[in-house]
Amino acid sequence: MENRLAWGKQVLAAQPFSVLLGAELLSFSKGGVELKVPIKAELMQQHGFVHGGVISYAADNALTYAGGSALGPGVVTSEFKINYVRPAMGEFIVARATVMHAGKNQAVCRCEVYVSSRGAERLCAIAQGTITRVGQPSKPRTQPRQST
Amino acid sequence: MENRLAWGKQVLAAQPFSVLLGAELLSFSKGGVELKVPIKAELMQQHGFVHGGVISYAADNALTYAGGSALGPGVVTSEFKINYVRPAMGEFIVARATVMHAGKNQAVCRCEVYVSSRGAERLCAIAQGTITRVGQPSKPRTQPRQST
Amino acid sequence: MENRLAWGKQVLAAQPFSVLLGAELLSFSKGGVELKVPIKAELMQQHGFVHGGVISYAADNALTYAGGSALGPGVVTSEFKINYVRPAMGEFIVARATVMHAGKNQAVCRCEVYVSSRGAERLCAIAQGTITRVGQPSKPRTQPRQST
Amino acid sequence: MENRLAWGKQVLAAQPFSVLLGAELLSFSKGGVELKVPIKAELMQQHGFVHGGVISYAADNALTYAGGSALGPGVVTSEFKINYVRPAMGEFIVARATVMHAGKNQAVCRCEVYVSSRGAERLCAIAQGTITRVGQPSKPRTQPRQST
């Protein structure tokens, strides 16, 4: 799908919380996605690191996009698990998610979240979760739904 | 600890991301915590429900507080898993976390996230995770760290 | 359902792996289940504790039963997460699972695994997972399926 | 470490539960491991598929080995999460685990479990978990511990 990235950006722009966090969709292809969140002061916890909630947001949303690339519009993350492996400090985080297996109604996806600082990327979290189709997939007017 | 709640609120106020989301600590006792996030337009996804990232933030942070109530200051959520069970729409969400087991350096905690609408609460997510002590627990000046 | 326990025992007896491990169904009601595994020498790891694989088997199977009590026959555990909190040594382990939320096709359940030693129970693991309906739920001859 | 595989096999042979299941260590290098379980009648559930408990055993044990390859002897799986993606039927399952991040006392690892049937492998589960060092790592006589 040629316009997948444009469509994905449109969905992201329609999510007020993603807008609040400043998330950007870097790439979006069948089976994979890259979601970036620039690090700003208001995304921190009390020690100058990116708050875990920002990292889990990025992982969750990237997993949903990855699942949606396999299942089509109208999907949600029904569950996921995340391991934080390193405090994140730098210019931005980027979550990269891929599809490990997709059935008709569910996809199982993985995600790595990296923090970029001075041009170098370091892994800060990994995640794994289930993306589920919702609503009426046959109705073309059904809007995509991420992360209810 | 009498001043636990006051101390917990101080920690929350020192987390810019928690301030951005408008999170409030309702209660904080040994073994349990209640964290509330009022639902505002900017916390939504594209269909008028609370974004999953807000719910996972609440679960993650509540788990950290619960773990900290058992382990003392200077803890992080090292991993957690969340199942979303219902889209959240209403006035606020509240995450309630409890300690299931605490060792010297780690605690395993559970969390339920409810959405409150017109005075009625409904379960919208459940989570389970590990909270780990970091830093120098013997140094009294060590600040608590949530969700690095 | 009066015969739920009898039916559940029949299902367990039809699982060669459950028979190999010596699992027993203690109770089985709408929303909850108790599954017992007597501790034997061949279920150990190399230090005289019950192998984690036995504990995760018990959690997984108990989660499936709990889900099945809400969704009806023909269910599988599609995913779960487990935290081991204490090495298990004693006479038997018992996994107790309950339904936290059930929709039409999926249930989210929790489980605690205890080890019993000299009459005292101690928590050794907690788990959380998703149970999914499979197959043709309308066909009465559909056999229950646990943990495919 | 040249003798890593030999050492790993020795550990496996010392786990009665692994012997009961017929598990074999195929490879064991720094950062990765392959654990095989031949499919036998007694490892099934009631529909002729490998029981989920066998698959989660393989994932759990492979994760522990992977973590041990980074942290050294004396490790346990403290938590893991698994998604089953396909029923397993064939000649054997093989769990392949790798280290995603290793600190001083903990490693975060991933695992894929494949089922092999007539020479073809298919993914049947993926897992992610934390492996933790236990005991006195400085004492050379400390035995490795998997999956307490």
Side-chain angles (χ1 to χ4, degrees):
Chain A
M1 180 169 150
E2 293 198 350
N3 298 319
R4 196 188 297 271
L5 182 59
W7 168 71
K9 288 185 176 194
Q10 202 174 337
V11 172
L12 201 67
Q15 297 183 343
F17 188 59
S18 293
V19 174
L20 180 69
L21 269 61
E24 305 165 30
L25 202 62
L26 297 186
S27 70
F28 188 26
S29 58
K30 187 149 184 80
V33 68
E34 283 185 309
L35 183 77
K36 173 183 172 177
V37 182
I39 298 178
K40 298 175 292 185
E42 62 261 39
L43 303 186
M44 300 295 170
Q45 33 86 293
Q46 69 273 37
H47 295 279
F49 298 114
V50 179
H51 197 286
V54 178
I55 294 166
S56 64
Y57 153 81
D60 182 345
N61 232 23
L63 288 168
T64 315
Y65 270 95
S69 81
L71 299 175
V75 297
V76 295
T77 293
S78 54
E79 63 84 25
F80 78 104
K81 182 252 202 295
I82 188 166
N83 287 75
Y84 301 110
V85 303
R86 182 181 281 119
M89 191 162 24
E91 289 89 45
F92 62 87
I93 60 168
V94 57
R96 298 193 177 97
T98 52
V99 179
M100 295 296 293
H101 178 267
K104 191 182 172 188
N105 294 310
Q106 289 201 319
V108 176
C109 301
R110 274 179 173 170
C111 181
E112 295 86 46
V113 185
Y114 293 88
V115 60
S116 179
S117 177
R118 301 178 188 180
E121 283 192 357
R122 303 187 81 187
L123 186 69
C124 63
I126 64 172
Q128 177 177 314
T130 307
I131 283 68
T132 305
R133 186 196 292 277
V134 291
Q136 302 80 3
S138 56
K139 291 186 181 178
R141 71 177 181 281
T142 301
Q143 292 289 321
R145 306 180 197 176
Q146 265 80 14
S147 299
T148 58
Chain B
M1 182 172 149
E2 294 197 350
N3 298 318
R4 196 188 297 269
L5 181 60
W7 167 71
K9 288 185 176 194
Q10 203 175 337
V11 172
L12 200 67
Q15 297 183 344
F17 188 60
S18 293
V19 174
L20 180 69
L21 268 62
E24 304 165 30
L25 203 61
L26 297 187
S27 71
F28 188 25
S29 59
K30 187 150 184 81
V33 69
E34 283 184 310
L35 184 76
K36 174 183 172 177
V37 183
I39 298 178
K40 297 176 292 184
E42 62 260 39
L43 303 186
M44 300 293 171
Q45 33 87 293
Q46 69 274 35
H47 295 280
F49 298 115
V50 179
H51 196 286
V54 178
I55 294 167
S56 63
Y57 153 81
D60 182 345
N61 233 23
L63 287 168
T64 315
Y65 270 95
S69 81
L71 300 173
V75 297
V76 295
T77 293
S78 54
E79 61 84 24
F80 77 103
K81 180 252 203 293
I82 187 166
N83 287 73
Y84 300 111
V85 302
R86 182 183 282 121
M89 191 162 25
E91 290 89 45
F92 63 88
I93 59 168
V94 57
R96 298 194 176 96
T98 51
V99 180
M100 295 297 292
H101 179 267
K104 192 181 172 186
N105 294 310
Q106 288 201 322
V108 176
C109 302
R110 275 180 173 170
C111 181
E112 294 88 45
V113 186
Y114 293 88
V115 60
S116 180
S117 177
R118 301 179 189 180
E121 285 192 355
R122 301 187 82 187
L123 187 69
C124 63
I126 64 171
Q128 176 177 315
T130 307
I131 282 69
T132 305
R133 186 196 291 279
V134 293
Q136 301 80 2
S138 56
K139 290 186 181 178
R141 71 176 181 281
T142 301
Q143 293 290 319
R145 305 179 198 177
Q146 265 80 14
S147 300
T148 56
Chain C
M1 179 171 149
E2 293 198 350
N3 299 317
R4 197 188 296 273
L5 182 60
W7 168 69
K9 288 186 176 192
Q10 204 174 335
V11 172
L12 200 68
Q15 297 183 344
F17 189 58
S18 293
V19 173
L20 181 68
L21 269 62
E24 304 165 30
L25 203 61
L26 298 186
S27 70
F28 188 25
S29 58
K30 186 148 185 81
V33 68
E34 284 185 309
L35 184 76
K36 174 183 172 178
V37 183
I39 298 178
K40 297 175 291 183
E42 61 261 40
L43 303 185
M44 301 294 172
Q45 34 86 294
Q46 69 274 35
H47 296 280
F49 298 114
V50 178
H51 197 286
V54 178
I55 293 167
S56 63
Y57 153 80
D60 183 344
N61 232 23
L63 288 168
T64 315
Y65 271 96
S69 81
L71 301 174
V75 297
V76 295
T77 293
S78 54
E79 62 85 26
F80 77 103
K81 180 251 203 296
I82 188 166
N83 286 74
Y84 300 111
V85 303
R86 180 182 283 121
M89 191 163 24
E91 289 89 47
F92 62 88
I93 60 169
V94 58
R96 297 192 178 98
T98 51
V99 180
M100 294 297 291
H101 179 267
K104 191 180 171 187
N105 294 310
Q106 288 201 321
V108 176
C109 302
R110 276 181 171 168
C111 181
E112 295 87 45
V113 186
Y114 293 88
V115 60
S116 180
S117 177
R118 300 179 191 179
E121 284 193 356
R122 303 188 79 188
L123 187 68
C124 63
I126 64 171
Q128 177 178 315
T130 307
I131 283 66
T132 305
R133 186 197 292 278
V134 293
Q136 302 80 2
S138 57
K139 290 186 182 178
R141 70 176 182 280
T142 301
Q143 291 291 319
R145 305 180 198 176
Q146 265 80 13
S147 299
T148 58
Chain D
M1 181 171 148
E2 293 197 351
N3 298 318
R4 195 188 299 269
L5 182 59
W7 168 70
K9 289 185 175 194
Q10 203 174 335
V11 171
L12 201 67
Q15 297 183 344
F17 188 60
S18 294
V19 174
L20 180 68
L21 269 63
E24 304 166 30
L25 204 60
L26 297 186
S27 71
F28 188 26
S29 59
K30 187 152 184 77
V33 67
E34 284 185 310
L35 184 77
K36 174 183 171 177
V37 182
I39 297 177
K40 296 176 293 185
E42 62 260 39
L43 303 186
M44 300 295 172
Q45 34 86 292
Q46 69 272 37
H47 295 280
F49 299 115
V50 178
H51 196 285
V54 177
I55 293 167
S56 64
Y57 154 81
D60 182 344
N61 231 24
L63 287 168
T64 315
Y65 270 96
S69 81
L71 300 173
V75 297
V76 294
T77 293
S78 53
E79 62 85 26
F80 77 103
K81 181 251 203 294
I82 187 165
N83 286 74
Y84 301 110
V85 302
R86 182 182 280 121
M89 192 163 23
E91 290 88 46
F92 62 88
I93 60 169
V94 57
R96 299 193 176 96
T98 51
V99 180
M100 294 297 293
H101 179 268
K104 193 182 172 187
N105 294 311
Q106 288 200 320
V108 176
C109 301
R110 274 180 174 169
C111 182
E112 294 87 46
V113 185
Y114 294 88
V115 60
S116 180
S117 177
R118 301 178 190 181
E121 283 192 357
R122 303 188 80 187
L123 186 69
C124 62
I126 64 171
Q128 177 178 315
T130 307
I131 282 69
T132 305
R133 186 196 292 280
V134 293
Q136 302 81 0
S138 57
K139 291 186 180 180
R141 71 176 181 281
T142 301
Q143 293 291 319
R145 305 180 198 176
Q146 264 82 12
S147 300
T148 57

